[in-house]
């Protein structure tokens, strides 16, 4: 798997790898402490409180957020299985997929080291989940903004 060079540039400019590693290391606990019995309704309300419009996929048990910006679509999937926050992106340009995947895999590709596995952030309660989501949505926003800014600059001549 490879990442489109346009996306690699955006990820590097927002310092994605460092930020994701910091988030993951701050929210790393013994799995016995994880909040496995969360409520999907409560999670949906928390996501919505950040101004996002989540759609819940009951069959696959994840939340999906899709944003359209010109020729781009940014999909952000969130899974909370076993008290872990798994973030997965899918980016399309003119309806053609140009990249994405779980943040852990994206981190491995950026580092160039397959063995550089970043642990998935975990949460023990809704307050920790809010912090993780707040930072994740900020990374998502910064990434989208950088992709769109770069695209506008490249198309301005």
């Amino acid at each position: 798997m490879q990442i489109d060079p346009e996306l690699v540039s955006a990820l590097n400019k927002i310092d994605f790898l460092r930020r994701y590693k910091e988030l993951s290391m701050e929210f790393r606990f013994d799995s016995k402490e994880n909040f496995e019995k969360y409520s999907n309704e409560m999670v949906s309300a928390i996501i919505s409180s950040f101004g996002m419009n989540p759609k819940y996929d009951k069959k696959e048990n994840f939340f999906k957020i899709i944003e359209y910006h010109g020729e781009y679509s940014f999909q952000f999937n969130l899974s909370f299985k076993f008290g872990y926050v798994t973030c997965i992106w899918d980016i399309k340009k003119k309806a053609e997929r140009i990249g994405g995947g779980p943040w852990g895999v994206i981190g491995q590709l950026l580092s160039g080291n397959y063995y550089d596995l970043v642990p998935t952030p975990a949460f023990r309660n809704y307050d920790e989940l809010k912090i993780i989501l707040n930072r994740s949505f900020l990374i998502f926003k910064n990434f989208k903004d950088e992709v769109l800014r770069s695209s506008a600059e490249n198309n301005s001549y």
Side-chain angles (χ1 to χ4, degrees):
M1 182 171 147
Q2 290 185 317
I3 304 175
D4 183 280
E6 175 183 7
L7 300 182
V8 169
S9 175
L11 290 163
N12 286 332
K13 284 181 180 176
I14 68 161
D15 206 6
F16 171 83
L17 186 56
R18 179 193 56 79
R19 292 167 73 187
Y20 181 54
K21 280 184 177 182
E22 285 177 0
L23 179 65
S24 297
M25 298 312 288
E26 183 177 342
F27 292 94
R28 185 176 182 185
F29 312 108
D30 185 309
S31 62
K32 293 179 211 154
E33 295 182 66
N34 291 11
F35 189 34
E36 294 185 39
K37 303 227 185 270
Y38 61 88
S39 155
N40 282 329
E41 291 78 22
M42 183 66 150
V43 170
S44 182
I46 291 169
I47 294 171
S48 295
S49 76
F50 289 101
M52 301 292 187
N53 185 19
K55 303 291 183 220
Y56 179 67
D57 183 321
K58 187 174 183 176
K59 181 180 176 187
E60 297 294 328
N61 191 24
F62 71 88
F63 291 85
K64 172 173 52 174
I65 300 161
I66 302 176
E67 293 187 12
Y68 299 95
H69 299 275
E71 62 189 4
Y72 289 92
S73 71
F74 297 88
Q75 183 170 325
F76 193 0
N77 297 339
L78 294 157
S79 171
F80 303 99
K81 293 176 186 171
F82 310 113
Y84 291 97
V85 180
T86 304
C87 299
I88 305 163
W89 282 344
D90 188 49
I91 300 93
K92 294 179 182 172
K93 182 177 182 179
K94 297 181 183 175
E96 181 181 327
R97 187 173 193 273
I98 59 171
W103 282 15
V105 173
I106 292 170
Q108 286 177 314
L109 292 170
L110 285 175
S111 75
N113 182 351
Y114 178 76
Y115 299 103
D116 188 15
L117 182 62
V118 178
T120 304
F123 63 101
R124 299 174 290 192
N125 54 56
Y126 291 120
D127 289 333
E128 289 178 348
L129 178 59
K130 287 176 188 175
I131 295 167
I132 293 168
L133 289 175
N134 184 45
R135 292 193 198 159
S136 298
F137 291 146
L138 182 58
I139 292 170
F140 180 53
K141 179 189 181 320
N142 294 157
F143 174 70
K144 287 183 307 183
D145 290 349
E146 186 57 39
V147 168
L148 296 171
R149 185 197 62 72
S150 177
S151 176
E153 284 179 3
N154 291 334
N155 293 326
S156 65
Y157 43 93

